[in-house]
Amino acid sequence: MMSRAARLLFLCAAIVLPAATHAVSILMPREPDLPPLEMKSEIIAVAIDGPVARTHLTQVFHNPHPRVLEGTFLVTLPKGAQVTDFVLTMNGEKVHGDVLESGEARQIYTDIVRKMRDPGLLEYVDAQTLKFRIFPIPANGDMPVELEFAQPLERKGDLYSFELASSGRWQSAPADETDLSLQLDWPGGIGVLYSPSHKIEESKKGDGTRVVVPGYSSGEGRPFQLLLAPADKDLALHLIAYQPDTSGDGTFMLMIHPPREGALAKALPKTVTFVLDVSGSMNENGKIEQARVALRQCLGALAPEDHFNIMTFSTGVESFRRAPVPASKEELAAAREFVEGFRAHGGTNIDEALKRAVSQETAGRIHQVLFLTDGLPTVGVTDKELILSHLRDANQDALRVFAFGVGYDVNTHLLDAIAEDTRALSEYVGPEEDLEVKVSTLFDSIAHPVLSDLALDINGVEIRDLFPIDLPDLFLGQDLLVFGRYRGHGTATALLKGNAGDKEYTHEATLRFPETTDGDARYVAALWANRKVGYLLDEIRRNGETRELREEVLELALEYNLVTPYTSFLVVEDAELERDNIVRSRFSQTQDYDPMAGTVSQGDVYRVKEGTSPQLSNMPPVVITDRVAQRRAGRSGIVGSFGTKASAPGTLQEQTGEKSVQFSRDLRVMKGAETLSAASSESTASVRRIDGETFAFDGERWRQEMQTDDQAKTLKVKYLSDAYFALIDRFPGKTKAITLGEQVTLKLGGYVVEIGAEGVAKADGLPEDLKP
C-alpha cells in the first residue's frame, strides 16, 4: 500500500495578488530544465444548482520523456471556492488527496514565470492557490488528474455570474480534446442565459437547462463567462453597467427578456410571404432545388393560426394566392404543389416583387417577408434608390423584409438597405454554402414573435448612443440586447412599449445606474464600441464618407482596439518605412511623410502609395503614434484584419462581388456583436487600452501614452528580477500593464519606469515610494 506522503502531498497557500475568478492549472516536472507537461485532454463539467456551482475538472497530462518523473501540480481556484475532491489515477486505482497548509506558492509561481518568461501568468494567482506533489508520473505515459470544487455564484444586481478559464495560457499547445458543458437546475427555471465571451447552445428539460460551448478550446486563453437569472413570469429588463470612474460617460447593456407566463408568453399569429427569385440564373449550381427544399421546410414550420402566401418573380411576378391564406392542411398541400411546379427562367424584377409583397393586407398581424434573390435587378426599375423609395411608399403596414442574397452577383447595398429600413436582417449564402440550412435557420429564429414596433424610453439618467437605433421585434425565447452610454447615476425608470398583434403593450421597470463599477463588465464597453463602429461604417457605405464620420471611426478604433477598413496595425523597419514612401494624413488632410522629420503627432494616419511595396500597397491606412514612427524595429508585417482579410475604405462603395458580400457579413457581426469573440481581438493589435490608459507597440517596446512631465524621474528595472516582481506587489492594479511584454515603459507613482534587459534588479534598489 502506498504511503500517504508518497501518494500525494496537497499544499494550500495564500497570496495577496490580483484576484482571479477562474481556475487555472499546470503540471511542472521537478527537474528545472524540463518544460510543463503536455495536456492531452481537458473535460470540464459544471453543475449549477441554485446559486452554487460545482465544477468537475478532468485533465490528462502526458510525460513524453523515457523516465519516471515527479511533478508539481498547481491550481488557482475562483474566489470563495472550496475543493471537494482531488483524485489521481495510479496503476488503475483512483487515489484521493489529503490537505495540508503551506506559504510557498508565491515563490513557486515566481520561479515558473522566470522559467517560462511569461509574467502574464501572475494574473492567475489568487488568494486560494493549491499545490499538489505527484509521483510517480510514468515514463512515456499519461497522468489523469481529477479536481472538483464548489463556488458561490457572484450576484450582480438580479443576475448571477459564473466564470471559468481553461489552462491554455500555461500550456505550450492546446489540449487535443477539450469539452465544456454546464447543467443548470434552478427552482422555477432559468430566464436570462447569456455569455459575453463565447457562443453557447442551450436545451431545456423541465426546470433544467443544459449548456454546451461548441468549439471551446483550452488554448484560446479567454475566460468563459456566463450570466444568468431565474425565470420571470413577466417580461423582464436586466441592466449591466460599466463605469470605471466618474470622469466620463458610463456604458450599459440592457437585456430584454420575453415573459415566461401570461398572454405574451405565446407566439403571436403571424403572416409570412415567401418571395422567391426564379430567374434563369437560379438554374445554376442547383439553387432552384435547394430553394424548393427550404420552402417546404418553412411551410412545415407554420402554425395552424398563421397565414401565408408565396410569390415568385423573374420578368414578372406570380402569386400562389391573391392574398395570404390560413395555414390549413388543404392550403399547405396546394402550396407544396405550387412549389414543385415553378421553373427558373427570365430576368429579375425586384422592384415589382417587393411592391406586391408588402402591399398585401395584414389584418393587424405581424407580417414577415422572406425575400430571396441571386442576382441584380435587370427588369423594370433597376435603380437602387428608386426601388427603396417604392418599397417605403408601399410598406404602409411596416412589414419586415428579411433579405437573402444567394451567390456574389447580388447588390449588397440594396439588400442590406431593404432589411435595415424594415427592422429586419439580411443574410448571404455563398456558392459553397447550403441554401436550405441558411433559410430554415433564420426562419426558425423568427418563427415566434411576441412584440413588434418596440420603443424604449429611459428617464432619470442621460442616455445617448443607443444601439440598435431601431429596436427589432422581440421573439419567444430570445433575449434582446440594447447597448448605450449614460451620464449621471442613481435610479432610473425604463418604459418599453410595443404591439402584441393589434394590442398595445407597455412595461415599466426600475433600473439602477451605478456611479462606478469594477472591471468585471469591461466587455460591455467593447461590445458597445463594436456596434457603434458598425453603424458608422454602414452610414458611410450608404450615404458617403464625411470627415466627421471618418474621424469618429478612427477615434473609436484607437480607443477600443478595433480593426476597421480605415485602420490596420503595422510594424515595419526604418528602411521599409523610407523605401515604401509612406503618405501621412491627419484624418482629412494628406501630406507626404518626410523620414528625416523624426516625429509625427499621435493619432496620425498613414497609408501607402499605390504601386510601391507589394507587401503593403493593398493595406488600409494605419493608425500609428509618434513613437512608432521614431523607432522601427522587430518583425515586419501587418497585424490585424477586418473579416477574413484587411479591407480598404474603397470596399465600402463596392456593391457586388465576393468582397462586398464579406463586408456585409462583417457589418452584421459588428452591429449585432453579442460576444467578445465577435469583437476585434486585442491580442494582435499594436495599440492597447488597459484600465483607461493607451499603450502603443513600436516593434520593440510597449509605451504608455503620457503627457511630458519634467518632474518625473526615469527608472530602469530589469525584466523578471526581484525588483520587477516587487513593482507588481506594490502596484497590483497595474499588473496587466507591467506584464505586457519584455520591454514596457509606463508611469508608476512619480516615475517613468522602463522595464527591459538592464536596470535595477534587487528590490532593495528601488526608491522607497516604489517598494511594496
Side-chain angles (χ1 to χ4, degrees):
M1 186 73 175
M2 190 180 301
S3 70
R4 172 175 160 181
R7 289 186 318 185
L8 178 68
L9 185 62
F10 181 162
L11 301 172
C12 181
I15 304 175
V16 181
L17 279 178
T21 56
H22 42 269
V24 182
S25 58
I26 184 174
L27 181 54
M28 291 289 298
R30 286 181 63 86
E31 299 181 31
D33 295 333
L34 296 180
L37 295 188
E38 301 172 1
M39 186 189 295
K40 289 183 61 177
S41 66
E42 181 178 45
I43 310 300
I44 305 170
V46 181
I48 297 178
D49 187 4
V52 176
R54 290 178 292 107
T55 301
H56 190 95
L57 176 67
T58 304
Q59 296 173 323
V60 177
F61 294 90
H62 178 67
N63 175 12
H65 304 287
R67 61 186 184 279
V68 173
L69 295 179
E70 178 180 353
T72 301
F73 181 80
L74 294 171
V75 61
T76 64
L77 296 180
K79 184 178 180 180
Q82 296 294 324
V83 172
T84 54
D85 202 6
F86 177 77
V87 180
L88 297 177
T89 301
M90 296 183 175
N91 299 321
E93 179 185 356
K94 289 190 174 183
V95 181
H96 293 258
D98 302 309
V99 181
L100 300 173
E101 292 184 357
S102 175
E104 59 181 307
R106 169 57 190 270
Q107 186 59 49
I108 293 172
Y109 272 93
T110 301
D111 291 344
I112 293 174
V113 167
R114 286 193 173 106
K115 179 178 179 180
M116 299 178 67
R117 300 187 68 79
D118 188 354
L121 299 177
L122 285 173
E123 296 173 16
Y124 291 132
V125 182
D126 192 10
Q128 195 163 359
T129 303
L130 308 178
K131 172 194 171 188
F132 304 79
R133 177 171 168 260
I134 298 176
F135 180 85
I137 305 173
N140 297 309
D142 297 336
M143 172 55 69
V145 177
E146 295 182 55
L147 177 70
E148 185 175 273
F149 57 90
Q151 69 189 93
L153 300 184
E154 186 177 357
R155 185 75 180 262
K156 297 181 177 180
D158 54 357
L159 292 174
Y160 292 88
S161 174
F162 172 79
E163 188 170 336
L164 180 74
S166 67
S167 305
R169 179 76 176 270
W170 298 84
Q171 306 302 323
S172 57
D176 295 332
E177 178 187 4
T178 59
D179 183 79
L180 173 58
S181 62
L182 303 94
Q183 178 64 41
L184 297 87
D185 292 294
W186 203 290
I190 297 292
V192 173
L193 199 57
Y194 166 69
S195 172
S197 60
H198 293 71
K199 179 181 179 181
I200 61 175
E201 295 178 356
E202 58 180 288
S203 57
K204 295 182 182 295
K205 186 176 181 181
D207 287 341
T209 302
R210 177 173 171 78
V211 174
V212 296
V213 187
Y216 177 79
S217 171
S218 64
E220 64 184 1
R222 187 172 72 247
F224 170 76
Q225 186 175 6
L226 185 71
L227 298 173
L228 58 98
D232 291 282
K233 294 183 179 180
D234 299 322
L235 185 143
L237 274 62
H238 301 283
L239 178 74
I240 302 175
Y242 175 63
Q243 174 58 293
D245 54 56
T246 59
S247 61
D249 293 347
T251 314
F252 70 90
M253 178 177 74
L254 188 65
M255 308 175 72
I256 303 175
H257 182 67
R260 191 166 182 259
E261 297 181 8
L264 280 185
K266 299 178 181 179
L268 296 171
K270 63 184 180 298
T271 296
V272 183
T273 298
F274 304 97
V275 183
L276 177 65
D277 183 347
V278 293
S279 60
S281 57
M282 285 290 290
N283 283 316
E284 301 170 2
N285 302 318
K287 287 182 286 187
I288 194 69
E289 293 305 322
Q290 288 190 58
R292 282 197 180 96
V293 174
L295 268 179
R296 286 197 294 266
Q297 288 193 357
C298 292
L299 290 171
L302 292 172
E305 61 271 18
D306 293 336
H307 285 57
F308 78 100
N309 200 357
I310 303 172
M311 294 183 179
T312 61
F313 69 96
S314 54
T315 303
V317 180
E318 182 180 356
S319 292
F320 166 64
R321 294 288 187 256
R322 295 176 63 90
V325 293
S328 63
K329 291 182 179 179
E330 295 76 16
E331 291 290 2
L332 289 173
R336 293 186 182 97
E337 290 185 13
F338 178 80
V339 170
E340 294 301 322
F342 55 65
R343 296 291 180 265
H345 61 87
T348 309
N349 195 339
I350 289 178
D351 179 66
E352 185 63 26
L354 286 172
K355 287 189 298 184
R356 290 271 296 272
V358 301
S359 60
Q360 300 176 100
E361 291 292 334
T362 62
R365 294 169 173 263
I366 292 178
H367 193 161
Q368 302 167 338
V369 176
L370 269 68
F371 181 86
L372 186 149
T373 181
D374 76 333
L376 305 173
T378 60
V379 176
V381 177
T382 59
D383 179 76
K384 181 193 73 171
E385 295 303 327
L386 197 53
I387 292 174
L388 292 173
S389 177
H390 289 171
L391 173 62
R392 296 184 193 108
D393 292 340
N395 192 19
Q396 296 299 314
D397 293 322
L399 277 64
R400 310 292 189 244
V401 182
F402 296 87
F404 281 89
V406 182
Y408 298 137
D409 295 327
V410 292
N411 188 320
T412 59
H413 286 211
L414 174 61
L415 297 185
D416 290 348
I418 289 171
E420 184 81 16
D421 289 354
T422 61
R423 297 195 186 190
L425 296 173
S426 56
E427 182 64 89
Y428 295 92
V429 186
E432 73 289 350
E433 296 179 296
D434 193 318
L435 172 63
E436 170 195 342
V437 171
K438 285 273 190 175
V439 173
S440 58
T441 298
L442 176 64
F443 186 67
D444 287 345
S445 69
I446 63 173
H448 306 293
V450 293
L451 278 179
S452 64
D453 303 312
L454 293 178
L456 177 67
D457 187 25
I458 299 177
N459 295 301
V461 294
E462 182 182 342
I463 300 295
R464 66 178 181 86
D465 279 346
L466 276 179
F467 300 105
I469 296 174
D470 295 316
L471 298 183
D473 297 335
L474 186 63
F475 297 94
L476 197 64
Q478 297 181 30
D479 293 330
L480 174 60
L481 303 185
V482 180
F483 293 84
R485 302 279 279 175
Y486 73 92
R487 180 170 298 172
H489 63 278
T491 300
T493 301
L495 192 64
L496 182 70
K497 295 181 179 181
N499 292 325
D502 57 356
K503 298 180 180 178
E504 292 186 358
Y505 178 85
T506 301
H507 178 82
E508 185 175 305
T510 300
L511 307 175
R512 191 185 69 82
F513 287 83
E515 184 176 12
T516 59
T517 64
D518 56 27
D520 289 347
R522 188 178 292 110
Y523 64 85
V524 172
L527 294 176
W528 168 82
N530 238 351
R531 288 196 171 201
K532 180 164 186 177
V533 167
Y535 275 89
L536 290 172
L537 292 175
D538 199 21
E539 181 68 19
I540 293 172
R541 185 179 183 224
R542 295 181 66 172
N543 300 312
E545 182 186 271
T546 66
R547 174 183 176 181
E548 290 76 14
L549 287 174
R550 183 174 67 250
E551 183 171 338
E552 193 167 6
V553 169
L554 289 169
E555 289 177 346
L556 285 167
L558 275 173
E559 176 75 12
Y560 294 96
N561 238 1
L562 303 178
V563 179
T564 74
Y566 288 91
T567 57
S568 183
F569 298 100
L570 173 70
V571 178
V572 295
E573 296 180 357
D574 286 331
E576 288 186 82
L577 181 68
E578 297 176 21
R579 182 188 69 232
D580 292 316
N581 194 9
I582 303 293
V583 176
R584 179 180 68 177
S585 63
R586 177 65 174 175
F587 297 135
S588 62
Q589 300 175 359
T590 301
Q591 302 174 7
D592 287 342
Y593 172 65
D594 180 3
M596 303 303 294
T599 62
V600 295
S601 299
Q602 177 187 354
D604 280 4
V605 181
Y606 287 73
R607 63 180 175 81
V608 183
K609 281 186 175 180
E610 295 182 2
T612 52
S613 165
Q615 177 191 15
L616 303 178
S617 58
N618 292 324
M619 68 172 290
V622 183
V623 174
I624 212 163
T625 63
D626 55 350
R627 294 182 178 85
V628 181
Q630 292 175 34
R631 303 193 63 177
R632 293 288 182 173
R635 182 167 53 91
S636 301
I638 301 172
V639 184
S641 66
F642 185 76
T644 57
K645 60 184 72 174
S647 306
T651 305
L652 276 71
Q653 308 309 321
E654 294 184 14
Q655 299 191 27
T656 63
E658 183 176 359
K659 288 183 180 180
S660 180
V661 168
Q662 182 58 51
F663 187 79
S664 291
R665 287 172 164 172
D666 292 337
L667 277 185
R668 179 178 172 184
V669 169
M670 293 190 78
K671 292 168 66 176
E674 296 184 359
T675 66
L676 290 180
S677 58
S680 299
S681 172
E682 69 175 24
S683 62
T684 59
S686 295
V687 179
R688 300 262 186 98
R689 289 284 294 181
I690 299 177
D691 296 329
E693 300 292 340
T694 300
F695 289 80
F697 184 64
D698 62 9
E700 181 178 85
R701 172 176 290 274
W702 286 99
R703 299 178 183 272
Q704 179 182 345
E705 295 299 328
M706 64 185 85
Q707 297 292 328
T708 301
D709 187 351
D710 295 336
Q711 304 301 318
K713 300 177 181 179
T714 298
L715 175 69
K716 292 186 177 182
V717 175
K718 189 175 182 178
Y719 178 64
L720 297 185
S721 65
D722 289 340
Y724 175 85
F725 289 108
L727 289 178
I728 294 175
D729 286 345
R730 172 66 177 82
F731 301 97
K734 299 291 186 181
T735 301
K736 288 187 177 181
I738 295 172
T739 60
L740 260 176
E742 296 186 17
Q743 298 188 65
V744 180
T745 297
L746 74 166
K747 196 167 185 178
L748 295 175
Y751 293 82
V752 175
V753 177
E754 295 183 356
I755 297 169
E758 299 178 351
V760 177
K762 295 183 178 180
D764 289 344
L766 293 173
E768 288 299 323
D769 49 350
L770 294 186
K771 292 180 180 179

